[in-house]
Amino acid sequence: MNSKPITRYLTAALTVLALVHGGPAFSASTSHQNHNPLPSWNDGKAKQAIIAFVAQVTEPGSPDFVPPAERIAVFDNDGTLWPEQPMYFQVLFALDRVKALAPQHPEWKETEPFASLLKGDVKGALAGGKRAILDIIMTTHAGNTTEEFETIVKDWLAKARHPTTNRPYTDMVYQPMLEVLDYLRANGFKTFIVSGGGIEFMRPWVEDVYGVPPEQVIGSSIKVEYEMRDGEPVLVRLPELDFYDDKEGKPVAIHQQIGRRPLAAFGNSDGDLQMLQWTTAGKGPRFALYVHHTDAEREWAYDRESSFGRLDKGLEEARENGWTVVDMKEDWNLIYPHEAK
Amino acid sequence: MNSKPITRYLTAALTVLALVHGGPAFSASTSHQNHNPLPSWNDGKAKQAIIAFVAQVTEPGSPDFVPPAERIAVFDNDGTLWPEQPMYFQVLFALDRVKALAPQHPEWKETEPFASLLKGDVKGALAGGKRAILDIIMTTHAGNTTEEFETIVKDWLAKARHPTTNRPYTDMVYQPMLEVLDYLRANGFKTFIVSGGGIEFMRPWVEDVYGVPPEQVIGSSIKVEYEMRDGEPVLVRLPELDFYDDKEGKPVAIHQQIGRRPLAAFGNSDGDLQMLQWTTAGKGPRFALYVHHTDAEREWAYDRESSFGRLDKGLEEARENGWTVVDMKEDWNLIYPHEAK
């Protein structure tokens, strides 16, 4: 490490800042020179591409230097920061909600998709695709206040276990992507989640797990209504779609809620394609990365044929445009944080 | 100023940070002790209330200490950060757009509200109230890409002059409120605008003028659509309301886009009432402030009877709940930055 006075000064400054701020410190623009900032990444094209891009836009004096305020990075969640198999984790949450709510809804025994779900026929109930899933989600996610729902999500996450790994869902985040989030933030990037998942399903835990504050979480949403209950204002969740943050919806949400075009976008499916197109169509250097699920042993291997996280057209465009494609099996030396020794 | 080593170290750290970051540095939690942080405010209840609240939530060791990540402050724009007389400035922009677009729309000569507007009968055209205004805004604001619209707004702001002061609109921001924005940020608050005005009308200038980045601007919006034009993705603005950020809409937007309840809310009209209610209903100390337009000489004096920025019910609730009410005439020793000597 450089030991020039300015470097020492800077390090001291950032240490103090971290103490004062109580959160991840904004760090020097030379952080990308840190020794191995992405330890869970094997040396290879993907890792090199990430590091080279960060250097290109943050090196003072670089012709492609971008001021910190404009360093926006957007991340899909399902399949990009945590898995989406055997199905989106939020769907698994919704299925548990159906079971929990069933005693209050005797009519569900004869109403689809609930009847199939309650008989254990998940596949039949989900045959209607993403929109059908959203309908199930809306029914099981509405009718309570925003604060009640937050508690329901937290309680579920504390107890629920993944059907095949038997681990808490929040243990199943990708360690290499946690490192990318940290690395970008250490280089002055503001990291956002832009997910097809529900904002209120993500916000209760993503700050602790990913270091992304709630105001930087963009996702699908249902409508909420302001109401006075016993003189206290509450926001009540309605069974009505507000915004579906997938495909063309992603650049739209990025524009409406961030208002700047990202410098870098990370996804894993065709649902992220428009977000990557929109990002890379900006002027100057831009970065796009697809996580390709190639590791059937440590995670899952799927792309063109998958019901969840289908990656087909995106893979073609990545090849045509020279986007970075992560081969999970080859590029990541570990998948989950608990694998670290 | 304290000259203990830790203070000097901190000051050095923050100076470096400001250089590296290129933006306003996050500063120490003792900033509220700075000598007179609100120089355009006369000493009085309003100023004292602001300073006391900031001390209460930021003093280390205070029983009401709030971590920086949760220090969210929300500001209405029209009538709170800049004027809204003789009508919302965005309406004045829309009227200029009607004139500019009229040659391409011969049918407007016989269609209301355009026919009245083109004859100079602004009052008649706006008789339909806020919703009618939004319709005019949508018609004049749609049909272009988001990047084209940004240019239109910037060009207009550079040339347009206020009908009575003859000043550029962005010169007419309230100096005392700029000081509040700075003061809160210096104490670790994240400042958001939550306005009934259009997000795309505000974003091109509020970062320079208020120091609020685009991702912290919440407002009304029209729908945008993702489209490929000659192989390049664009977002096209549609003449359709996406979200109307007024009254009950404000707490809804705060929830959907910020996801945390603010600690402090600043408004000036009944359109801000629900935002202030929602803010102050949170646990622990909260702060709510109404700017009351009482200065007919230096600005405008209006409340219960005004078409723009009507303040009636809000004034009652402020009295009942002990919210801070700024008497512009008494509390502010100057209104606009150019009045400073």
Side-chain angles (χ1 to χ4, degrees), chain A residues 6 9-17 20-22 26-29 67-69 72 146-147 190 192 199-200 203 207 213-217 221-226 228 232-235 237 242-243 248-249 251-252 254-261 273-275 277-278 281, chain B residues 6 9-17 20-22 26-29 68-69 72 146-147 190 192 199-200 203 207 213-217 221-226 228 232-235 237 242-243 248-249 251-252 254-261 273-275 277-278 281 283:
Chain A
I6 182 66
Y9 192 54
L10 213 52
T11 308
L14 294 165
T15 309
V16 170
L17 190 83
V20 173
H21 195 292
F26 178 89
S27 85
S29 54
I72 303 288
T146 53
E147 295 190 340
K190 208 164 179 175
F192 286 80
I199 40 171
E200 294 185 88
R203 280 188 178 142
E207 188 164 29
E215 63 268 26
Q216 286 159 227
V217 177
S221 54
I222 60 176
K223 290 197 195 269
V224 302
E225 192 172 53
Y226 186 77
M228 280 287 175
E232 285 293 303
V234 291
L235 291 169
R237 294 165 56 78
D242 179 42
F243 187 78
E248 291 81 3
V252 167
I254 287 169
H255 175 74
Q256 302 283 45
Q257 296 198 38
I258 305 178
R260 296 194 212 259
R261 200 187 291 244
L273 179 58
Q274 289 80 0
M275 176 167 84
Q277 289 171 339
W278 176 245
Chain B
I6 183 64
Y9 192 56
L10 212 53
T11 308
L14 294 165
T15 309
V16 171
L17 190 83
V20 174
H21 194 294
F26 178 88
S27 83
S29 53
I72 302 287
T146 52
E147 294 190 340
K190 208 163 178 176
F192 285 79
I199 41 171
E200 295 187 88
R203 282 190 177 138
E207 189 164 27
E215 63 269 25
Q216 286 160 226
V217 177
S221 55
I222 60 176
K223 290 196 195 273
V224 304
E225 191 172 52
Y226 186 76
M228 280 287 175
E232 285 292 304
V234 292
L235 291 170
R237 294 166 55 79
D242 179 41
F243 187 77
E248 290 82 4
V252 168
I254 287 169
H255 175 74
Q256 302 282 44
Q257 296 198 39
I258 304 178
R260 294 195 214 260
R261 199 188 292 244
L273 178 58
Q274 289 79 0
M275 176 167 85
Q277 288 171 340
W278 177 245
K283 283 176 200 150

Side-chain angles (χ1 to χ4, degrees), chain A residues 81-83 89 162 165 167-174 300 336-337:
Chain A
L81 298 178
W82 75 353
F89 293 176
H162 187 273
T165 69
R167 290 200 168 265
Y169 290 100
T170 48
D171 281 8
M172 294 178 65
V173 294
Y174 302 136
W300 285 269
Y336 304 124

Side-chain angles (χ1 to χ4, degrees), chain A residues 310-323:
Chain A
R310 184 163 180 261
L311 179 62
D312 182 5
K313 200 161 185 298
L315 218 45
E316 309 280 320
E317 289 214 18
R319 277 193 199 113
E320 283 166 25
N321 301 320
W323 297 342

Side-chain angles (χ1 to χ4, degrees), chain B residues 232-247:
Chain B
E232 285 292 304
V234 292
L235 291 170
V236 181
R237 294 166 55 79
L238 308 178
E240 193 185 337
L241 185 65
D242 179 41
F243 187 77
Y244 184 45
D245 189 32
D246 197 36
K247 296 193 168 76

